[in-house]
Amino acid sequence: MQLGVIGLGRMGRIVVDRVLAAGHDVVAFDLDEDAVDAVAAAGASPADSIDDLCDHLGDDKRIWLMVPAGAPVDATLETLEPRLEAADVVVDGGNSNFHDTLRRADACPAAYLDCGTSGGPASAELGFSLMVGGPEWAYEELAPAFDAVATGPAGHARMGPSGSGHYVKMVHNGVEYALMQAYGEGFELLHEGRFDLDLEAVASVWNNGAVIRSWLLELCEEAFREEGSDLGDVADRVEGGSTGTWTVQEALEQEVPLPLIYTALAERHGSRADEGRFSRRLANRLRYGFGRHEVQRQ
Ligand SMILES: NC(=O)C1=CN([C@@H]2O[C@H](COP(=O)(O)OP(=O)(O)OC[C@H]3O[C@@H](n4cnc5c(N)ncnc54)[C@H](O)[C@@H]3O)[C@@H](O)[C@H]2O)C=CC1
Ligand SMILES: O=C(CO)[C@H](O)[C@H](O)COP(=O)(O)O
């Protein structure tokens, strides 16, 4: 198949590389010319505008957006839409708010797939977990691309109609916040408590057979190995927060109590007062582990 990819940052570059590695053709565009040059060197056809990308793709366009959520998605769609028809398919692989997705799917002349993407840049080798919403025929049509970008056929599934993919990813991120908070609190007690412990060794032994082993715990182990048991100069400041806020807002609307996820979100807000809490310093470092988000340092 031939796939157009718009947005070639940390995540879009991986989409391009994995789709090329699976033997498909890629036409790629980004506002950043250096990013376009880099994927051209890797084998993609470069486009110097969205119109140029559409010219390369011809009829039955398949286009994957991997730009930041919010205004960049609307700006991209505004330019794309005059070039789209009902037989075309657009995938939004970013962390868009599902309310925005419902509005966009309704307005888009093409079939619109919302694709929640989990795994982060650290999963370039393994592939991502993809949660897809939208028309079934469009999901089937894009299956070769999903197979390539995900860990394989088991790494993607259609969740339901438009919006459901981003809805499931929003809840996934709420769970991510709560898990980071739980590990952070446990390690904070171990760090502040009555024994002088090697936290890399604790994380390592927990990752070998313990009930609480997980990828996030492997990233805790990596963080202690690279920063030391006291996390060095990693600051008590956790950035991000939009996806957790949406999860809590939706829980309030649905009257479903989510005290753990709310508390984890509130801890992020609290971290902006910089009180030096160990749990938040670990959460700050873990966001680098999975998302390559910049580590805030003291
Ligand atoms: N980094 C992560 O761990 C994950 C990120 N995501 C989501 O994936 C999306 C992309 O994230 P990243 O790759 O991390 O961001 P990034 O900031 O690394 O890359 C974004 C790219 O989009 C380009 N861009 C921005 N506006 C554009 C426009 N109007 N037209 C064309 N290109 C444009 C930028 O030049 C940049 O190269 C976001 O929605 C993010 O929330 C989803 C899962 C994990
Ligand atoms: O989706 C992700 C991981 O699953 C991204 O890393 C996202 O940026 C994390 O959310 P936040 O920025 O709110 O921490």
Side-chain angles (χ1 to χ4, degrees):
M1 74 178 295
Q2 189 183 33
L3 185 72
V5 179
I6 302 178
L8 307 171
R10 289 167 294 193
M11 298 293 286
R13 175 63 202 254
I14 297 168
V15 170
V16 170
D17 287 345
R18 293 187 65 86
V19 170
L20 286 172
H24 305 297
D25 294 329
V26 172
V27 185
F29 172 69
D30 194 293
L31 294 176
D32 176 354
E33 287 175 18
D34 291 342
V36 179
D37 290 346
V39 295
S45 303
D48 60 17
S49 66
I50 287 177
D51 260 340
D52 187 32
L53 178 131
C54 290
D55 289 342
H56 275 82
L57 291 175
D59 292 336
D60 296 347
K61 300 176 187 56
R62 276 80 185 97
I63 301 174
W64 190 303
L65 311 185
M66 213 67 198
V67 300
V73 179
D74 284 318
T76 305
L77 288 171
E78 196 179 53
T79 314
L80 259 181
E81 278 173 3
R83 301 294 306 266
L84 295 176
E85 292 176 4
D88 300 329
V89 181
V90 175
V91 179
D92 176 10
N95 272 329
S96 292
N97 183 306
F98 75 95
H99 291 295
D100 289 337
T101 296
L102 291 172
R103 167 178 58 77
R104 290 168 186 150
D106 210 33
C108 188
Y112 198 80
L113 295 175
D114 47 297
C115 174
T117 304
S118 179
S123 297
E125 293 283 315
L126 188 65
F128 297 134
S129 165
L130 303 176
M131 298 138 255
V132 187
E136 197 153 5
W137 74 265
Y139 171 71
E140 297 300 336
E141 193 62 35
L142 266 286
F146 292 137
D147 286 347
V149 175
T151 55
H156 62 90
R158 180 176 173 268
M159 304 288 106
S162 285
S164 60
H166 282 151
Y167 192 85
V168 173
K169 179 60 177 22
M170 171 190 79
V171 175
H172 161 287
N173 279 28
V175 172
E176 180 180 291
Y177 282 40
L179 289 175
M180 288 164 69
Q181 181 66 20
Y183 285 125
E185 290 185 11
F187 281 111
E188 181 163 325
L189 180 55
L190 293 176
H191 181 257
E192 310 290 336
R194 60 182 69 213
F195 295 101
D196 183 16
L197 295 164
D198 174 345
L199 296 188
E200 181 193 348
V202 173
S204 172
V205 77
W206 280 354
N207 274 321
N208 282 279
V211 170
I212 58 172
R213 64 189 181 273
S214 71
W215 187 50
L216 274 174
L217 189 56
E218 288 172 21
L219 295 175
C220 292
E221 188 181 335
E222 176 189 279
F224 293 128
R225 184 168 55 251
E226 292 178 3
E227 308 287 348
S229 265
D230 64 354
L231 288 180
D233 65 353
V234 175
D236 169 358
R237 183 172 179 86
V238 193
E239 298 291 343
S242 55
T243 51
T245 301
W246 303 338
T247 310
V248 170
Q249 283 169 339
E250 174 65 1
L252 292 173
E253 274 183 42
Q254 300 296 330
E255 300 189 9
V256 175
L258 301 184
L260 293 180
I261 294 175
Y262 171 68
T263 302
L265 175 65
E267 279 292 300
R268 285 199 185 196
H269 295 157
S271 80
R272 288 154 202 179
D274 201 5
E275 295 161 345
R277 291 289 302 271
F278 193 84
S279 54
R280 299 163 178 168
R281 294 171 62 214
L282 183 56
N284 169 9
R285 183 56 174 71
L286 288 176
R287 289 185 75 254
Y288 172 78
F290 59 73
R292 296 295 180 256
H293 302 293
E294 187 184 352
V295 181
Q296 306 298 311
R297 301 206 178 257
Q298 289 156 359

